[in-house]
Amino acid sequence: MTAIQTARLELRPMVEEDLDALVELDGFEAVRGAIDPFSERIPGDPVARREYERRFLHPSGYLAAIERASGRFLGWLQLVADRDRAGGAGGGAHVGPTEVEIGYRLRPDAWGQGFASEGAAALLADALRRPDVTRVYAHALLSNGASIRVMQKIGMTYAAPWSYRGLPGAEYEARPGAGPHSAPAKRP
């Protein structure tokens, strides 16, 4: 995936130089509580967390969210096709419809400023322009009202209940031609 610019963000593939910022991002207790409520996925130890974070550096679909005005790393957004998650990335053999997941993880000091909505709207618009994408979806726990508001704000609609290890959540979706999903995004 290539870089996308919005009014305030540059969304670009993550690089090795982002590793320290990723370790810091997932070191925030508020971030860990929102995305790893059972403390089983993200290592608490910074050295172990550094190895965990390496998985976000090179796969397609994970983009660093950089504040354009300051150059500051705010977190990351994802736009990952189900076929890529299943190991099909790079194989080129898959042709046909696909579903794509949007996700976002930002530093707590960037929360509540519209960055997640701005970045997710740009990724949603990008995904819905792709001829093979049949559906874009996202999940959030019901306890994460801010994440649900992001999905609603960018035009996604409630699709179904969802849960993570028994915790209640919701799945939201958007489909091509199913409503206004425009965002001021451009390729640099």
Side-chain angles (χ1 to χ4, degrees):
M1 182 169 212
T2 59
I4 295 175
Q5 286 188 357
T6 68
R8 299 180 301 155
L9 294 172
E10 177 185 357
L11 305 175
R12 58 149 175 82
M14 287 196 266
V15 294
E16 192 73 26
E17 290 76 21
D18 295 324
L19 189 56
D20 289 339
L22 288 167
V23 171
E24 181 182 30
L25 172 67
D26 282 344
F28 290 111
E29 192 61 40
V31 170
R32 295 164 61 90
I35 60 162
D36 189 15
F38 298 105
S39 300
E40 62 189 13
R41 291 182 19 211
I42 301 172
D45 173 64
V47 174
R49 193 165 57 244
R50 188 173 191 80
E51 288 310 306
Y52 165 85
E53 302 298 350
R54 285 190 182 284
R55 69 191 189 118
F56 297 111
L57 293 182
H58 302 292
S60 63
Y62 288 88
L63 301 171
I66 307 298
E67 183 179 28
R68 291 176 64 194
S70 68
R72 186 170 71 122
F73 180 95
L74 299 179
W76 57 258
L77 285 89
Q78 77 177 58
L79 189 63
V80 178
D82 285 347
R83 69 173 180 256
D84 293 342
R85 185 176 327 244
H94 184 278
V95 177
T98 192
E99 294 189 350
V100 179
E101 181 179 13
I102 283 184
Y104 30 87
R105 188 179 302 179
L106 300 179
R107 301 171 49 91
D109 57 5
W111 293 358
Q113 299 178 48
F115 289 117
S117 297
E118 185 174 325
L123 291 184
L124 179 61
D126 183 74
L128 293 175
R129 284 192 295 268
R130 299 178 187 182
D132 63 328
V133 171
T134 58
R135 183 174 93 105
V136 180
Y137 65 94
H139 300 117
L141 293 172
L142 295 182
S143 62
N144 191 345
S147 188
I148 290 173
R149 283 189 298 281
V150 167
M151 292 184 279
Q152 293 168 338
K153 187 175 180 179
I154 67 172
M156 297 180 88
T157 57
Y158 177 80
W162 173 79
S163 68
Y164 175 68
R165 297 200 49 210
L167 297 176
E171 178 173 289
Y172 278 71
E173 70 179 5
R175 295 178 183 269
H181 301 285
S182 59
K186 62 180 180 178
R187 301 279 179 197

